[in-house]
Amino acid sequence: MTGTLRRWYGAWQRTRLGTRITLGLGALALVVFAAVGVTTVGIMHGYLDRRLDEQLSKSQDTQVPLLRETHGSPESVYSWYSVLYTVRDGVATPDSGGKPPQDAQQLAKIAAEGLHGDLTRTVYLRGGEPYRVRACPVDTDSVLVSAAPQKDLDGTVQQLIWVEVGAFTLALAVLVVVGRFVLRRGLRPLADMAGTAHDIASHDLAANPALPARAAGTGGGAEVDELRTAFNVMLAHIDTSLAAKTEANERLRRFVADASHELRTPLTSIRGYADLFRYAAANEPAEREAHLAKIREETARMTVLVDDLLLLARLDARAAETPLRPERVDLAELAEDAADAFSVGRPGHPLTTSSVPAPVDADPVRLRQVLDNLLANAAVHTPPGTAVHVAVTVEGAEAVVRISDTGPGIAPSVQERIFDRFFRVDDSRTRGHGGTGLGLSVVHSLVTAHDGTVSVSSEPGRTVFTVRLPLARS
């Protein structure tokens, strides 16, 4: 039994929502119709019973005064039985002239009981047909008994039942058909959303990560509109997440490829110089120091590249291990130190400074690295004699560093990618100066790690890199 119920319940759960709602409405309507029908039949049956009792009472009340005077035969109204009984010592005997049924024993008993007052009962006469019987005393030893058949009354009630069954069956059929149609139209937006979900599920996200469809259409009510909006917002969020993931994967692939390429170049050089060193050690001892110097140079270049890659990786994962050691420093002092070092190392680029005190909570080593990288970038990408200016100001709640030069400028298309890793404005010139294409990426990551921003604006004759950092809280 339990297994059968489980199978029925499982089949019910697998049925479509519209069908389940329709069947539920039909069952509810059936219960309501049954309650209304039973109540109506009960009220009608009680009303007809009271009407019959009133007719019996009115007929007897009309005959009793005449019977008291004449003691004659009672009148038979319609197809009723009317009998005048004489009651002596508890035994009722029908008077002659009455119209008793063949099985009058029950009427005699009721007559004997009715000597003391009016009495109404339902009995079964003539082979089980129901009759409504009323007994009322005429005088001290006479009782008038009238019996009216309930066959017509029951027939009326039975006809009412069949009329109600027919009407309720028709109403139930109309309700189910119309309700199914209305529900199908009302649930169509949900079916459309399900179709959209199937379209997305069959879409090859590996080939094209953009989701191909959105839930369209109108109607269905406020709840369906709200669901459709939430569905589309979810798809947009998924679409954005997939696009971001695809872009991140592409950046990672490009990063790995570029890193492999950058590491391969110095490793190839080191291997070549090592072979030359081995040859020189055996045949040209005077050239050994030159080959060792080249090996050291390439090793230093590879060390810088690996250090930059490690720093970027640690900045990307700073939630687990932060490479920053912040303390209270004056950004103006750091800028002056970086400018002094730049002037000594690159005398071919005249440098000027202007600054005001700008206290910040930052890692002084990493912040100095930001300034050195920006100054080195200005020197590498501009011809000798190009003026460079470093300015430190305070704007609102921010400390601002601007490093500008009067070089040829940066093309607008390049400015969008200038902070990308391994991106170079000029591959050949950058390689010649030992650049890795990571300097500005390190700048961007370090400034972001300090909750700041870095931007560039450039035109022929003026390029400005702007770093904004939050001022230290007092």
Side-chain angles (χ1 to χ4, degrees):
M1 183 66 180
T2 304
T4 303
L5 290 177
R6 287 180 178 176
R7 285 194 297 272
W8 277 100
Y9 181 74
W12 171 259
Q13 290 294 102
R14 291 189 296 271
T15 306
R16 294 184 67 86
L17 178 60
T19 302
R20 283 192 286 169
I21 294 178
T22 302
L23 293 177
L25 288 175
L28 179 61
L30 187 62
V31 172
V32 173
F33 289 163
V36 172
V38 170
T39 303
T40 303
V41 169
I43 292 174
M44 179 59 71
H45 198 283
Y47 171 75
L48 293 177
D49 281 344
R50 289 193 299 273
R51 288 287 297 173
L52 185 59
D53 290 345
E54 289 175 1
Q55 291 176 358
L56 285 171
S57 177
K58 187 180 295 184
S59 172
Q60 289 183 339
D61 290 343
T62 302
Q63 297 183 61
V64 165
L66 181 62
L67 291 176
R68 286 175 181 170
E69 294 178 359
T70 62
H71 292 278
S73 299
E75 297 180 0
S76 296
V77 182
Y78 308 114
S79 57
W80 300 356
Y81 293 112
S82 295
V83 182
L84 185 64
Y85 283 88
T86 300
V87 182
R88 291 188 178 86
D89 298 329
V91 178
T93 304
D95 292 348
S96 59
K99 187 182 177 182
Q102 294 179 356
D103 46 353
Q105 293 82 358
Q106 296 187 66
L107 297 184
K109 292 180 181 180
I110 293 175
E113 295 176 9
L115 183 64
H116 305 290
D118 295 346
L119 180 66
T120 303
R121 289 184 180 176
T122 299
V123 298
Y124 294 88
L125 306 175
R126 296 179 60 184
E129 293 184 10
Y131 277 77
R132 193 68 173 170
V133 178
R134 186 175 191 275
C136 68
V138 176
D139 51 27
T140 56
D141 58 356
S142 298
V143 176
L144 175 62
V145 177
S146 299
Q150 288 186 307
K151 182 178 180 179
D152 293 340
L153 183 150
D154 292 341
T156 301
V157 174
Q158 191 71 24
Q159 185 176 6
L160 174 63
I161 292 174
W162 284 112
V163 169
E164 288 186 344
V165 168
F168 289 161
T169 301
L170 179 62
L172 182 61
V174 171
L175 176 63
V176 170
V177 173
V178 175
R180 185 73 180 102
F181 175 76
V182 173
L183 283 172
R184 181 175 297 176
R185 288 182 60 88
L187 295 176
R188 185 174 299 169
L190 299 181
D192 293 341
M193 281 186 272
T196 302
H198 287 303
D199 292 341
I200 293 173
S202 61
H203 178 66
D204 186 6
L205 294 177
N208 182 12
L211 299 182
R214 294 290 187 273
T218 57
E223 293 81 3
V224 175
D225 284 339
E226 185 177 349
L227 177 61
R228 185 186 297 110
T229 301
F231 185 72
N232 286 334
V233 169
M234 179 191 68
L235 291 181
H237 178 69
I238 294 175
D239 205 356
T240 304
S241 300
L242 288 175
K245 182 179 179 181
T246 302
E247 182 181 358
N249 289 337
E250 179 62 23
R251 287 208 319 266
L252 177 61
R253 185 196 63 78
R254 190 168 59 247
F255 179 80
V256 171
D258 290 341
S260 300
H261 178 74
E262 292 296 330
L263 288 172
R264 183 178 61 182
T265 301
L267 285 174
T268 302
S269 299
I270 291 173
R271 184 176 61 185
Y273 286 121
D275 291 338
L276 290 174
F277 176 80
R278 183 176 60 181
Y279 172 80
N283 301 289
E284 298 290 340
E287 296 182 4
R288 287 183 300 176
E289 290 301 324
H291 296 323
L292 280 175
K294 290 293 184 180
I295 292 174
R296 293 190 190 95
E297 181 181 341
E298 293 298 328
T299 303
R301 180 180 172 214
M302 189 168 61
T303 301
V304 171
L305 174 61
V306 172
D307 288 343
D308 286 344
L309 289 174
L310 179 60
L311 176 60
L312 290 172
R314 294 176 64 190
L315 288 172
D316 289 341
R318 61 186 177 128
E321 178 186 5
T322 176
L324 303 180
R325 299 295 181 265
E327 59 183 72
R328 183 66 54 85
V329 295
D330 188 353
L331 186 57
E333 292 182 3
L334 288 177
E336 291 291 342
D337 294 341
D340 291 341
F342 178 83
S343 298
V344 173
R346 300 182 184 271
H349 288 76
L351 178 68
T352 57
T353 62
S354 63
S355 61
V356 297
V360 295
D361 290 327
D363 187 329
V365 176
R366 297 305 182 185
L367 209 54
R368 172 64 184 272
Q369 185 177 0
V370 168
L371 298 172
D372 288 342
N373 283 2
L374 290 175
L375 287 171
N377 182 76
V380 168
H381 293 285
T382 59
T386 303
V388 179
H389 181 71
V390 179
V392 179
T393 60
V394 174
E395 298 178 4
E398 293 179 329
V400 182
V401 180
R402 290 184 175 89
I403 298 179
S404 59
D405 63 69
T406 58
I410 305 173
S413 59
V414 174
Q415 295 179 34
E416 298 177 358
R417 298 184 54 197
I418 200 168
F419 294 107
D420 291 350
R421 297 175 185 182
F422 294 110
F423 178 76
R424 297 183 180 88
V425 177
D426 184 347
D427 285 344
S428 60
R429 182 170 16 157
T430 306
R431 288 185 187 275
H433 286 79
T436 63
L438 293 176
L440 292 181
S441 299
V442 171
V443 168
H444 182 271
S445 297
L446 285 174
V447 172
T448 302
H450 283 90
D451 298 324
T453 61
V454 59
S455 60
V456 60
S457 63
S458 181
E459 59 184 20
R462 180 173 174 78
T463 298
V464 181
F465 283 86
T466 304
V467 176
R468 296 179 179 272
L469 297 171
L471 287 173
R473 296 180 180 178
S474 58

